[in-house]
Short mmCIF file of all heavy atoms in Angstrom, two decimals:
data_model
loop_
_atom_site.label_atom_id
_atom_site.label_comp_id
_atom_site.label_asym_id
_atom_site.label_seq_id
_atom_site.Cartn_x
_atom_site.Cartn_y
_atom_site.Cartn_z
N VAL A 385 -6.63 -5.41 -7.56
CA VAL A 385 -5.67 -4.53 -6.88
C VAL A 385 -4.29 -4.61 -7.53
O VAL A 385 -3.67 -3.59 -7.82
CB VAL A 385 -5.57 -4.90 -5.38
CG1 VAL A 385 -4.43 -4.15 -4.72
CG2 VAL A 385 -6.88 -4.58 -4.68
N LEU A 386 -3.81 -5.81 -7.77
CA LEU A 386 -2.46 -5.97 -8.30
C LEU A 386 -2.34 -5.49 -9.74
O LEU A 386 -1.29 -4.99 -10.15
CB LEU A 386 -2.00 -7.43 -8.18
CG LEU A 386 -1.87 -7.93 -6.73
CD1 LEU A 386 -1.45 -9.39 -6.70
CD2 LEU A 386 -0.86 -7.09 -5.95
N GLN A 387 -3.41 -5.63 -10.52
CA GLN A 387 -3.39 -5.07 -11.88
C GLN A 387 -3.29 -3.55 -11.82
O GLN A 387 -2.58 -2.92 -12.61
CB GLN A 387 -4.64 -5.49 -12.65
CG GLN A 387 -4.60 -6.92 -13.15
CD GLN A 387 -5.84 -7.30 -13.95
OE1 GLN A 387 -6.78 -6.52 -14.08
NE2 GLN A 387 -5.85 -8.50 -14.48
N GLU A 388 -3.99 -2.94 -10.88
CA GLU A 388 -3.94 -1.49 -10.72
C GLU A 388 -2.55 -1.04 -10.29
O GLU A 388 -2.05 0.00 -10.71
CB GLU A 388 -4.96 -1.06 -9.67
CG GLU A 388 -4.89 0.40 -9.26
CD GLU A 388 -5.27 1.38 -10.36
OE1 GLU A 388 -5.98 0.96 -11.30
OE2 GLU A 388 -4.83 2.54 -10.31
N GLU A 389 -1.90 -1.86 -9.47
CA GLU A 389 -0.61 -1.47 -8.90
C GLU A 389 0.57 -1.63 -9.84
O GLU A 389 1.61 -1.03 -9.64
CB GLU A 389 -0.35 -2.28 -7.64
CG GLU A 389 -1.20 -1.84 -6.47
CD GLU A 389 -0.92 -0.41 -6.08
OE1 GLU A 389 0.12 -0.13 -5.48
OE2 GLU A 389 -1.75 0.45 -6.41
N GLY A 390 0.45 -2.46 -10.88
CA GLY A 390 1.55 -2.58 -11.82
C GLY A 390 2.28 -3.90 -11.72
O GLY A 390 2.03 -4.73 -10.83
N PRO A 391 3.25 -4.11 -12.61
CA PRO A 391 3.87 -5.43 -12.79
C PRO A 391 4.72 -5.91 -11.62
O PRO A 391 5.00 -7.09 -11.51
CB PRO A 391 4.73 -5.24 -14.04
CG PRO A 391 5.00 -3.77 -14.11
CD PRO A 391 3.76 -3.12 -13.58
N THR A 392 5.17 -5.02 -10.76
CA THR A 392 6.04 -5.44 -9.65
C THR A 392 5.28 -5.58 -8.33
O THR A 392 5.89 -5.84 -7.29
CB THR A 392 7.19 -4.44 -9.46
OG1 THR A 392 6.65 -3.19 -9.00
CG2 THR A 392 7.96 -4.21 -10.75
N ALA A 393 3.97 -5.42 -8.36
CA ALA A 393 3.19 -5.37 -7.12
C ALA A 393 3.06 -6.75 -6.47
O ALA A 393 3.02 -7.78 -7.14
CB ALA A 393 1.80 -4.81 -7.41
N SER A 394 2.97 -6.73 -5.16
CA SER A 394 2.70 -7.93 -4.38
C SER A 394 1.75 -7.56 -3.26
O SER A 394 1.59 -6.38 -2.93
CB SER A 394 4.00 -8.51 -3.80
OG SER A 394 4.52 -7.64 -2.80
N ASN A 395 1.12 -8.56 -2.65
CA ASN A 395 0.23 -8.30 -1.53
C ASN A 395 0.99 -7.63 -0.39
O ASN A 395 0.50 -6.71 0.27
CB ASN A 395 -0.41 -9.60 -1.04
CG ASN A 395 0.61 -10.56 -0.44
OD1 ASN A 395 1.60 -10.90 -1.10
ND2 ASN A 395 0.38 -11.01 0.77
N GLU A 396 2.21 -8.08 -0.18
CA GLU A 396 3.04 -7.54 0.90
C GLU A 396 3.28 -6.04 0.71
O GLU A 396 3.15 -5.25 1.65
CB GLU A 396 4.37 -8.29 0.92
CG GLU A 396 5.28 -7.96 2.07
CD GLU A 396 6.54 -8.79 2.03
OE1 GLU A 396 7.06 -9.08 0.93
OE2 GLU A 396 7.03 -9.15 3.12
N LYS A 397 3.62 -5.63 -0.52
CA LYS A 397 3.89 -4.23 -0.81
C LYS A 397 2.63 -3.39 -0.70
O LYS A 397 2.65 -2.28 -0.15
CB LYS A 397 4.49 -4.11 -2.21
CG LYS A 397 4.81 -2.68 -2.65
CD LYS A 397 5.92 -2.07 -1.85
CE LYS A 397 6.30 -0.70 -2.38
NZ LYS A 397 7.22 0.02 -1.49
N VAL A 398 1.52 -3.90 -1.23
CA VAL A 398 0.25 -3.16 -1.16
C VAL A 398 -0.15 -2.91 0.28
O VAL A 398 -0.51 -1.79 0.67
CB VAL A 398 -0.86 -3.93 -1.90
CG1 VAL A 398 -2.24 -3.34 -1.58
CG2 VAL A 398 -0.63 -3.89 -3.41
N LEU A 399 -0.08 -3.94 1.10
CA LEU A 399 -0.49 -3.79 2.50
C LEU A 399 0.46 -2.88 3.27
O LEU A 399 0.03 -2.11 4.14
CB LEU A 399 -0.56 -5.17 3.17
CG LEU A 399 -1.69 -6.07 2.65
CD1 LEU A 399 -1.55 -7.48 3.23
CD2 LEU A 399 -3.05 -5.49 2.99
N LYS A 400 1.74 -2.94 2.95
CA LYS A 400 2.72 -2.06 3.59
C LYS A 400 2.44 -0.60 3.24
O LYS A 400 2.42 0.28 4.12
CB LYS A 400 4.13 -2.45 3.17
CG LYS A 400 5.23 -1.56 3.76
CD LYS A 400 6.61 -2.07 3.34
CE LYS A 400 7.72 -1.18 3.91
NZ LYS A 400 7.73 0.17 3.32
N ASP A 401 2.24 -0.32 1.94
CA ASP A 401 1.96 1.05 1.51
C ASP A 401 0.68 1.58 2.14
O ASP A 401 0.63 2.73 2.59
CB ASP A 401 1.85 1.11 -0.01
CG ASP A 401 3.19 1.00 -0.71
OD1 ASP A 401 4.23 1.07 -0.02
OD2 ASP A 401 3.21 0.86 -1.95
N LEU A 402 -0.34 0.74 2.17
CA LEU A 402 -1.62 1.17 2.72
C LEU A 402 -1.51 1.41 4.23
O LEU A 402 -2.06 2.38 4.76
CB LEU A 402 -2.70 0.12 2.43
CG LEU A 402 -4.14 0.48 2.78
CD1 LEU A 402 -4.55 1.81 2.17
CD2 LEU A 402 -5.09 -0.63 2.32
N SER A 403 -0.75 0.57 4.89
CA SER A 403 -0.54 0.73 6.33
C SER A 403 0.20 2.04 6.62
O SER A 403 -0.16 2.78 7.55
CB SER A 403 0.27 -0.45 6.88
OG SER A 403 0.55 -0.27 8.24
N GLU A 404 1.21 2.36 5.81
CA GLU A 404 1.95 3.61 5.99
C GLU A 404 1.05 4.82 5.75
O GLU A 404 1.14 5.82 6.47
CB GLU A 404 3.15 3.66 5.03
CG GLU A 404 4.28 2.74 5.42
CD GLU A 404 5.44 2.81 4.45
OE1 GLU A 404 5.33 3.55 3.43
OE2 GLU A 404 6.46 2.13 4.68
N TYR A 405 0.19 4.71 4.77
CA TYR A 405 -0.70 5.83 4.48
C TYR A 405 -1.72 6.02 5.59
O TYR A 405 -2.03 7.14 5.98
CB TYR A 405 -1.41 5.62 3.15
CG TYR A 405 -2.17 6.83 2.67
CD1 TYR A 405 -1.51 8.00 2.35
CD2 TYR A 405 -3.55 6.80 2.56
CE1 TYR A 405 -2.21 9.13 1.92
CE2 TYR A 405 -4.26 7.92 2.13
CZ TYR A 405 -3.58 9.07 1.81
OH TYR A 405 -4.27 10.18 1.39
N LEU A 406 -2.23 4.92 6.13
CA LEU A 406 -3.16 5.00 7.26
C LEU A 406 -2.47 5.62 8.48
O LEU A 406 -3.07 6.39 9.22
CB LEU A 406 -3.72 3.62 7.60
CG LEU A 406 -4.82 3.11 6.67
CD1 LEU A 406 -5.06 1.62 6.87
CD2 LEU A 406 -6.11 3.89 6.91
N THR A 407 -1.20 5.28 8.67
CA THR A 407 -0.43 5.88 9.76
C THR A 407 -0.32 7.38 9.57
O THR A 407 -0.47 8.16 10.52
CB THR A 407 0.98 5.26 9.83
OG1 THR A 407 0.86 3.87 10.12
CG2 THR A 407 1.82 5.93 10.91
N LYS A 408 -0.05 7.80 8.34
CA LYS A 408 0.04 9.23 8.04
C LYS A 408 -1.29 9.93 8.34
O LYS A 408 -1.31 11.00 8.93
CB LYS A 408 0.42 9.44 6.58
CG LYS A 408 0.48 10.90 6.20
CD LYS A 408 0.45 11.08 4.70
CE LYS A 408 0.23 12.53 4.35
NZ LYS A 408 -1.05 13.07 4.85
N LEU A 409 -2.40 9.33 7.92
CA LEU A 409 -3.71 9.93 8.18
C LEU A 409 -3.96 10.04 9.68
O LEU A 409 -4.47 11.05 10.17
CB LEU A 409 -4.81 9.09 7.53
CG LEU A 409 -4.81 9.01 6.00
CD1 LEU A 409 -5.90 8.07 5.52
CD2 LEU A 409 -4.99 10.40 5.38
N ASN A 410 -3.59 9.01 10.41
CA ASN A 410 -3.78 9.04 11.87
C ASN A 410 -2.91 10.11 12.51
O ASN A 410 -3.28 10.71 13.53
CB ASN A 410 -3.47 7.67 12.48
CG ASN A 410 -3.77 7.63 13.96
OD1 ASN A 410 -4.91 7.80 14.39
ND2 ASN A 410 -2.73 7.42 14.77
N ASN A 411 -1.74 10.36 11.92
CA ASN A 411 -0.86 11.40 12.46
C ASN A 411 -1.46 12.79 12.29
O ASN A 411 -1.10 13.72 13.01
CB ASN A 411 0.51 11.35 11.78
CG ASN A 411 1.30 10.14 12.19
OD1 ASN A 411 1.01 9.51 13.20
ND2 ASN A 411 2.30 9.78 11.41
#
């Protein structure tokens, strides 16, 4: 996952982005 996301990626950022996207889908 982090290799796909790029050099500045962290677990915290990945989970935050995914959570926001799931919120958008639910909306």
Side-chain angles (χ1 to χ4, degrees):
V385 171
L386 296 178
Q387 283 182 356
E388 172 67 22
E389 287 298 286
T392 67
S394 68
N395 66 306
E396 187 178 36
K397 179 67 175 170
V398 167
L399 292 172
K400 178 177 179 292
D401 285 350
L402 188 52
S403 176
E404 287 180 358
Y405 189 64
L406 282 166
T407 297
K408 178 197 168 299
L409 295 176
N410 185 62
N411 289 342

